[in-house]
Structure formats: structure tokens, C-alpha cells
Amino acid sequence: MRLSQFFHGRRRLSLAAALLAAGTADAAGAPGNYEFLAAPQTDLNRVFRLDKATGEVGACQYGLKEGSSIGVTLCYPPGEGAKAGTFSEYALVASRHTGEGGVFRVDLRSGMMSICFVLNESSVVCTPQAK
């Protein structure tokens, strides 16, 4: 192998490695598919989770566990109206009402909104979308 071929091959290898690293950095720096928002109610430690592409909403909160000083994470699965829906671009918005335990789910493309909250400490439900 000639010396020029060796360096030319190493240059291609370096370029390929640099492109691979750049692609990995872009993927790692890309925003996630979820958004999180605390309920505006000031005495409630509940956080809502939204899948920004499907509009699916769940929630979790801290709970006390008998006999444990650590406690548990209580999560509520998506229920009626909160399950994955039409593919779009969704976001969560909290009202400024300090007694409100729910959040608004908004479809940024259509302008439709619904209100999501935990029902009977069993699941997250959302009202029908309206405009």
C-alpha cells in the first residue's frame, strides 16, 4: 500500500466517524416526545404527562406508603378521552386558578382544547375537544 492511499483511507474514515458523531449528537439533542406540567392547584403534587404527537395524557403524584419514609409514585393511566388520538401537535396549558387540579390539552394545529383531570383517583380523563 502506498503512503498516499493510507492517508486518503484514514481521511475517509475520520470523515465517516465525524458524520456519525454529528448524527448521534443531533439525535441526542432532539427534543423528546413528551411534555410535563404540574397541576395549578397549590396543595396538589400532581404532574401531567402528554405525548405531544398523539395527545395521550397520564399523570403521577407522590403518595405516602404505610411503614415507609420514602413513599411511592402513584400514576394514573389514560382513561376516557385521554388515550392516544389523532396524530397532531399537542401541548399542555395550566390555568392560573390555584384550586384547579386539571390542565388544558391543546391541539396546536387545529386550536381544539379539552380539559384533563384525574377522576376518582383511578385514571386521567379529558373532556371532548372543543373550539
Side-chain angles (χ1 to χ4, degrees), residues 33 51-56 84-90 107 109-110:
N33 198 42
D51 182 313
K52 295 189 294 187
T54 67
E56 181 178 88
T86 306
F87 185 81
S88 190
E89 185 178 355
Y90 296 92
D107 183 330
R109 292 183 184 168
S110 70

Side-chain angles (χ1 to χ4, degrees), residues 103-124:
V103 294
F104 290 86
R105 175 183 58 188
V106 297
D107 183 330
L108 298 173
R109 292 183 184 168
S110 70
M112 302 289 279
M113 289 190 223
S114 57
I115 299 170
C116 303
F117 55 95
V118 174
L119 180 64
N120 298 327
E121 301 297 317
S122 64
S123 65
V124 177

